[in-house]
Amino acid sequence: MSTIRDVAKVAGVSVATVSRVLNNKGYVNEDTRKKVEAAIHSLNYKPNSVARSLFKKKSKMIGLIVPDITNPFFPQLARAVEDVTNHSGYTLVLCNSDEDIIKEQEYIEVLNQKYVDGFIIVTSTLKAEHIKDLKVPIVALDRPINLDTPTVSVNNYEGSRLATKFLCDTGCQKIAHVRGPYNVLNADERCRGYLDEVQDLDWFRPELVVNGNFNINKTKEIAKELLTLHPDIDGIFAGNDLMAVGVIKAAEELGIKIPEQLSIIGFDGITLCETTSPELTTIAQPIYNIGSKAVQILVDLIENRPLEQNNYTFSVELIERQSTKPR
Ligand code: RIB
């Protein structure tokens, strides 16, 4: 494998001149540049990317930090982020934070040392003070960090009102909500939408809201308790699709028929919803589009192009399948 010294030797110039040509920095006479380019070509010289990163303090890499790739929402999101990252000439580095702020900060630190050009982060723990000294741009995806950080998310509140209203309109008389974790803003927003839709109805009781923590197994257990305590519940809005699957499993174990006795609706629109039995009705986020928009914004920031807007809130849509009664 040829080195920068070989290129310099073949071109008959100094290593510093080759470096100026490679980095397009400083004055190089046109004939000299041509000689260097010809030497690079004839030797099939590939600059060492580590050395280039060290020199330029840029790596053409983007860091994506997500809570947990085993939740099927995140591989779908990561796929979009990776496609657009590659298409823009960058490479993606993926990290799982497990919603642990120490891990998030360590990943940011390590990737910074490798000169990543920017970050896309899905977090509910990082706050403005944790990113204020970052020298590269950052985009918050799915969950906002603060008002100053460019953010791409969906209208969680409207989506949850849509879900709850759909259950009411299809004849449900007592609707419960399995919410996501308390420290996650989109879980709060989805819960707020549910409450605004039902809290003035005569059947509403605060104990109809339980926390499934965005987790399938925890939801299965909590839904079994809920449905045993309140056998007249005939509709459940789950704050994400995984929890909706947990509710389906709970209903199956209790011998409750879906949708005849219990309608279930989720949130996210992951492909898993099409494979459950019954197939899951859901509020679908445009997962690919939000991932792709986050990269476009980040690349604009990295390449010093002005942003058209700082925050993007995408609409969600109801996808009706078999887990709810038909309209
Ligand atoms: O399923 C994972 C959840 O966490 C999704 O609803 C997504 O919006 C994220 O915040």
Side-chain angles (χ1 to χ4, degrees):
M1 194 191 276
S2 40
T3 66
I4 193 166
R5 285 180 200 289
D6 301 328
V7 176
K9 205 168 166 193
V10 170
V13 299
S14 68
V15 168
T17 303
V18 179
S19 170
R20 282 204 294 278
V21 173
L22 287 171
N23 295 301
N24 211 10
K25 259 193 176 163
Y27 175 75
V28 182
N29 165 292
E30 201 44 42
D31 286 346
T32 310
R33 179 181 300 280
K34 281 187 183 144
K35 272 192 222 159
V36 172
E37 283 169 354
I40 288 172
H41 190 70
S42 68
L43 291 168
N44 195 19
Y45 170 69
K46 301 265 186 299
N48 178 314
S49 60
V50 175
R52 276 176 78 82
S53 298
L54 282 172
F55 178 76
K56 295 182 115 183
K57 302 206 180 345
K58 285 185 181 302
S59 61
K60 283 272 170 187
M61 288 198 298
I62 285 174
L64 170 66
I65 304 181
V66 299
D68 180 6
I69 202 83
T70 63
N71 176 337
F73 176 81
F74 293 112
Q76 277 186 240
L77 191 64
R79 179 65 219 221
V81 171
E82 186 185 11
D83 282 355
V84 185
T85 296
N86 286 344
H87 193 74
S88 313
Y90 292 77
T91 305
L92 191 73
V93 182
L94 172 69
C95 307
N96 287 282
S97 69
D98 296 323
E99 314 243 18
D100 175 345
I101 189 166
I102 305 289
K103 261 182 138 177
E104 284 172 332
Q105 288 176 301
E106 279 171 1
Y107 275 134
I108 289 175
E109 174 67 25
V110 167
L111 293 184
N112 245 334
Q113 286 169 10
K114 296 190 186 306
Y115 298 115
V116 293
D117 296 320
F119 289 93
I120 296 176
I121 305 192
V122 180
T123 179
S124 33
T125 40
L126 277 184
K127 302 285 171 269
E129 70 256 29
H130 301 124
I131 52 168
K132 70 176 187 332
D133 295 329
L134 214 54
K135 299 277 184 299
V136 294
I138 178 167
V139 172
L141 177 56
D142 177 58
R143 307 171 184 185
I145 297 177
N146 65 345
L147 285 176
D148 293 334
T149 307
T151 304
V152 181
S153 58
V154 301
N155 200 328
N156 292 291
Y157 176 78
E158 288 303 329
S160 69
R161 288 203 77 152
L162 185 63
T164 314
K165 187 163 183 329
F166 176 74
L167 292 176
C168 291
D169 290 350
T170 49
C172 295
Q173 310 268 335
K174 190 167 183 179
I175 302 164
H177 176 48
V178 184
R179 58 160 296 148
Y182 281 99
N183 60 339
V184 178
L185 187 70
N186 58 28
D188 290 343
E189 284 293 281
R190 291 169 201 173
C191 185
R192 189 167 70 85
Y194 159 83
L195 289 174
D196 284 356
E197 204 58 49
V198 299
Q199 65 193 351
D200 293 333
L201 302 178
D202 57 2
W203 52 258
F204 175 72
R205 304 277 175 279
E207 58 269 28
L208 292 175
V209 179
V210 293
N211 185 1
N213 229 13
F214 280 161
N215 178 285
I216 193 166
N217 291 325
K218 168 145 201 242
T219 299
K220 187 178 112 184
E221 293 316 316
I222 208 153
K224 270 166 62 180
E225 270 174 42
L226 183 72
L227 291 164
T228 309
L229 275 172
H230 304 272
D232 53 342
I233 289 175
D234 57 0
I236 294 188
F237 163 46
N240 78 350
D241 288 339
L242 272 192
M243 295 193 295
V245 174
V247 177
I248 291 180
K249 286 165 82 74
E252 259 170 17
E253 286 192 15
L254 296 173
I256 298 172
K257 289 198 181 66
I258 307 167
E260 294 81 355
Q261 295 168 279
L262 179 68
S263 282
I264 302 167
I265 184 166
F267 199 110
D268 278 349
I270 55 177
T271 47
L272 179 77
C273 306
E274 298 159 39
T275 62
T276 54
S277 178
E279 291 171 18
L280 187 67
T281 298
T282 189
I283 300 296
Q285 306 197 39
I287 301 176
Y288 199 94
N289 293 348
I290 59 172
S292 141
K293 176 56 82 182
V295 183
Q296 285 163 19
I297 294 181
L298 186 65
V299 171
D300 280 346
L301 289 168
I302 293 170
E303 297 177 3
N304 294 315
R305 285 188 290 273
L307 295 187
E308 277 171 26
Q309 53 188 89
N310 215 38
N311 291 308
Y312 286 82
T313 307
F314 282 67
S315 300
V316 291
E317 74 172 312
L318 174 74
I319 298 186
E320 214 176 318
R321 297 202 184 91
Q322 301 160 339
S323 65
T324 44
K325 286 194 251 327
R327 264 191 263 228

